[in-house]
Amino acid sequence: MKPLESSSSSAHPARLILTLSLAPIVGLGIGRFAYALVLPDMRDSLHWSYSTAGFMNTVNAAGYLLGALMASRLVKRFGWSATVRGGTLSCVVSLAMCALSGNFIVLSLARLIAGFGAAAGFVGGGALAAMIAQSRPERANFLLSLFYAGPGLGILLSGLIAPFVLRAFGPGSWWIVWWAMALLAAAMTVPLLVTHFGDRAGITAAGAARFAMLPVAIYLAGYFLFGAGYIAYMTFMIAYVRDAGGGATAQAAFWGLIGLSAFVTPWVWRGVLALDRGGLATAIILAVNATGAALPIFGHSTALLAVSAVVFGVAFFAVVGSTTAFVRFNYPPAAWPTAIAAMTVSFGIGQTLGPTVVGAITDTLGSLSYALNVSAAMLALGAILALLQGKLAQHPKS
């Protein structure tokens, strides 16, 4: 489909970035995180252990890692906009695949494709959004955060649909939920297909830019721990709510609170994201994220779980936004895609390992509470490491 020229790159930056945010809405908000809503019914129907259930998100994260590593090659061959669109469409296809079979190999392949497509859309979309935001330097951080807040809408919508579909059709209806998610994702992909973004000149030569890991090694380690810690919470918390007696309404409310909170992050963290002080902004947001993940450790009450969802939700995508702000402050524009990809790889390794490791801990110790303990501890340690990251010399050369 040919992009409509009426939606050209001269459109308002906020409009373009919000449209770009449909890529992570589909790839992450729906493609990755809706799995947590379907997981309890899939686990019961397909007789999975927690390790197997966690492996499905490990496969998804492995696909994401592979997509992050391949993103620059895809962009070089097809262009930024085509990479974003192609990645998002592959996520829609993967959701339909999940509805077609309960076969472990087919589902694993679908989750792998979803991860790969999500990374292509996220890395490409993030780089485009960063360049578009630069057209309004005084509002660049706020505009860029709109892109990272997008998945909150996917989380909210999937949370309003999946639990009630499961309740309406009963046990074993997980495949119907996947069809609903595929249709929702397809509808949300349409504006992305018909909007013209242009392949911005300022980032077309980024493939040649070098990224030195040593000056930011401690920051990358903190981001690795964020990837491992947050995904454990997002994979198993619906199962935790259900095990505590929460029905469809409770599950939808919990997931909806995470989504709503994530969606308001641009306004909540605008001042923090403007801090040009090394890893300080990331450390602050990660500490809040860790607090939200730790709250369920202290009980199953509705109020406590609601506060956990809000506190966790308002921070977890803002962490990703803070890493892009860190890149913008410390590297020249030509290096942004390379640096963002390096951050994404570190994050991707963490979230690849997290679900399976935490699932194995749960199988061994017999309680999801231990999984949440590990998740919160990793996030807290990540915050400490980010705090130790200082500001780099302006525009390092290597």
Side-chain angles (χ1 to χ4, degrees):
M1 180 180 295
K2 184 179 179 180
L4 297 179
E5 294 304 323
S6 59
S7 296
S8 70
S9 57
S10 62
H12 192 282
R15 177 185 170 189
L16 288 173
I17 291 173
L18 285 171
T19 305
L20 277 172
S21 75
L22 291 168
I25 285 174
V26 171
L28 299 177
I30 300 172
R32 173 176 298 163
F33 298 127
Y35 172 69
L37 296 162
V38 197
L39 183 152
D41 189 57
M42 292 183 74
R43 184 171 170 269
D44 291 344
S45 301
L46 302 175
H47 310 293
W48 287 352
S49 66
Y50 279 110
S51 296
T52 302
F55 176 78
M56 281 295 168
N57 253 5
T58 288
V59 168
N60 178 263
Y64 191 89
L65 177 58
L66 180 62
L69 291 169
M70 292 289 294
S72 62
R73 295 184 185 180
L74 292 172
V75 167
K76 185 176 180 180
R77 183 177 178 89
F78 301 108
W80 291 99
S81 298
T83 298
V84 174
R85 293 189 183 102
T88 306
L89 284 171
S90 68
C91 291
V92 176
V93 171
S94 74
L95 289 167
M97 288 176 63
C98 287
L100 291 172
S101 174
N103 180 273
F104 183 80
I105 295 175
V106 173
L107 288 170
S108 297
L109 178 61
R111 297 298 291 159
L112 183 74
I113 293 171
F116 186 93
F122 193 73
V123 174
L128 276 172
M131 188 56 62
I132 292 169
Q134 281 299 102
S135 67
R136 302 286 179 90
E138 73 284 359
R139 303 189 69 209
N141 285 318
F142 172 76
L143 289 170
L144 185 56
S145 65
L146 294 175
F147 178 80
Y148 295 106
L153 180 59
I155 292 170
L156 173 62
L157 292 175
S158 59
L160 292 174
I161 295 171
F164 297 106
V165 171
L166 288 169
R167 186 171 71 179
F169 290 94
S173 59
W174 55 268
W175 62 275
I176 301 176
V177 177
W178 283 122
W179 275 125
M181 294 299 102
L183 292 172
L184 174 62
M188 301 197 78
T189 302
V190 173
L192 193 64
L193 298 179
V194 300
T195 300
H196 178 67
F197 303 102
D199 282 349
R200 305 276 164 158
I203 57 177
T204 53
R210 296 182 61 193
F211 177 81
M213 293 183 61
L214 189 59
V216 291
I218 197 165
Y219 189 83
L220 290 170
Y223 202 33
F224 164 85
L225 288 169
F226 167 66
Y230 100 92
I231 195 64
Y233 183 96
M234 290 297 288
T235 299
F236 294 114
M237 268 307 296
I238 288 295
Y240 186 80
V241 171
R242 195 188 75 156
D243 290 351
T249 301
Q251 293 170 39
F254 180 85
W255 210 243
L257 283 172
I258 292 178
L260 280 173
S261 300
F263 197 64
V264 302
T265 53
W267 294 271
V268 174
W269 298 108
R270 180 163 31 184
V272 173
L273 290 173
L275 294 174
D276 185 12
R277 300 179 187 173
L280 178 61
T282 302
I284 292 171
I285 301 170
L286 248 177
V288 173
N289 195 225
T291 301
L295 288 175
I297 296 169
F298 301 102
H300 295 81
S301 72
T302 301
L304 193 63
L305 291 176
V307 173
S308 171
V310 170
V311 174
F312 185 94
V314 82
F316 86 110
F317 266 107
V319 175
V320 183
S322 73
T323 63
T324 305
F326 176 83
V327 167
R328 286 183 59 255
F329 284 132
N330 289 280
Y331 293 91
W336 289 353
T338 307
I340 290 172
M343 298 287 175
T344 305
V345 167
S346 177
F347 168 82
I349 294 172
Q351 69 175 6
T352 299
L353 299 175
T356 297
V357 171
V358 171
I361 291 172
T362 303
D363 285 332
T364 302
L365 299 178
S367 172
L368 280 170
S369 295
Y370 294 105
L372 297 178
N373 286 340
V374 172
S375 173
M378 287 190 289
L379 292 170
L381 181 57
I384 294 171
L385 294 180
L387 185 62
L388 297 176
Q389 174 66 58
K391 182 172 171 58
L392 302 183
Q394 274 293 284
H395 301 341
K397 302 297 182 184
S398 60

